[in-house]
Amino acid sequence: MFLARDTQSRVNRSASKVGWGCQQSWAEDVCQGGEQNPGQNASQKVAEVEKLAQTVRELEEAVLAGGAATNAVRDYQRKVQEMNEEKKTLEWEVARAKVTVNRVATVVANEWKDANDKVMLVKQWLEERKFFQGEMQQLRDKLAVAERTTKAEAQLKEKYQKQFKVLEERLKS
C-alpha cells in the first residue's frame, strides 16, 4: 500500500509538472486499480500499463523532435544573419566599384583636354571601364546568389517554425 501511494504521488507530481491537468482519481485508478475494480484481471492491467508506457515514449519523442526543430531554427537564423551581413558587404563593394569607375571617368575626361594623349587615354579608359563593368557584374551576381540563398534560408526557417509550433500544440493538448 505504501508503494502504491508513493507511486501515486510521483505520478501526480509528474503530471502537474507536464501540465496534463490530471485529476487525483486518474492517478488512483492507475496506482490502486485492483482495489477499486476487483473484477479487472492482471492482463488488463498489463495492457493499460503498456498503453501508458507507449504514450510516455511518444511524448518523449515529441519533446526530442521539438528540441531538434528548435536547434534547426536557431541554426537557420544564424545562417540568415551571416548572409545578411555578407549581402551588406557585397553592396558596399558594388558601391565602392561605382565610385572608382566615376573617379576614373572624371580623370580621363579632364585629361581629354590634352590633344596629344587623347587616343591613348580613350583606349585606356575604355579598357578600364570594361574591367570595372565586369567587376561590377561579378559583384551583382554574388549579391543575387546571396539574396536567393537568404530567401531560401528564410523559407526553411519559416517551415521549421511552423513544425515547431505544431509540436508545441501537440504537447499542450
Side-chain angles (χ1 to χ4, degrees), residues 30-152:
V30 172
C31 297
Q32 300 173 358
E35 295 174 13
Q36 291 182 355
N37 298 324
Q40 191 178 32
N41 64 22
S43 64
Q44 289 174 330
K45 291 179 184 178
V46 169
E48 186 176 346
V49 169
E50 288 175 356
K51 181 180 173 185
L52 290 172
Q54 177 63 30
T55 303
V56 168
R57 281 193 295 272
E58 289 173 359
L59 288 170
E60 287 173 346
E61 290 174 7
V63 167
L64 290 175
T70 300
N71 289 338
V73 166
R74 286 183 185 141
D75 286 343
Y76 285 113
Q77 286 174 339
R78 181 185 48 78
K79 287 180 182 179
V80 166
Q81 184 178 7
E82 289 173 1
M83 291 190 168
N84 283 335
E85 290 172 8
E86 185 178 347
K87 178 183 172 184
K88 288 178 184 177
T89 302
L90 292 173
E91 288 173 342
W92 180 79
E93 289 178 10
V94 168
R96 197 184 87 203
K98 285 181 181 179
V99 168
T100 304
V101 166
N102 287 336
R103 287 181 183 163
V104 168
T106 302
V107 169
V108 170
N110 287 337
E111 290 180 359
W112 281 2
K113 297 175 185 174
D114 216 0
N116 296 333
D117 297 331
K118 187 175 180 180
V119 173
M120 186 61 171
L121 289 176
V122 170
K123 204 178 219 183
Q124 180 183 359
W125 180 79
L126 289 173
E127 288 173 3
E128 287 179 359
R129 182 172 180 252
K130 192 176 191 178
F131 173 77
F132 283 122
Q133 284 177 338
E135 276 191 1
M136 285 175 36
Q137 187 59 43
Q138 286 177 346
L139 292 174
R140 282 188 194 111
D141 293 343
K142 283 183 183 179
L143 182 62
V145 168
E147 287 175 344
R148 283 193 302 268
T149 307
T150 302
K151 183 179 177 182

Side-chain angles (χ1 to χ4, degrees), residues 1-9 11-12 24-40 45 48-49:
M1 188 66 179
F2 176 72
L3 182 61
R5 285 186 197 145
D6 185 44
T7 305
Q8 177 182 349
S9 64
V11 167
N12 286 337
Q24 182 73 16
S25 63
W26 177 82
E28 288 174 359
D29 287 346
V30 172
C31 297
Q32 300 173 358
E35 295 174 13
Q36 291 182 355
N37 298 324
Q40 191 178 32
K45 291 179 184 178
E48 186 176 346
V49 169

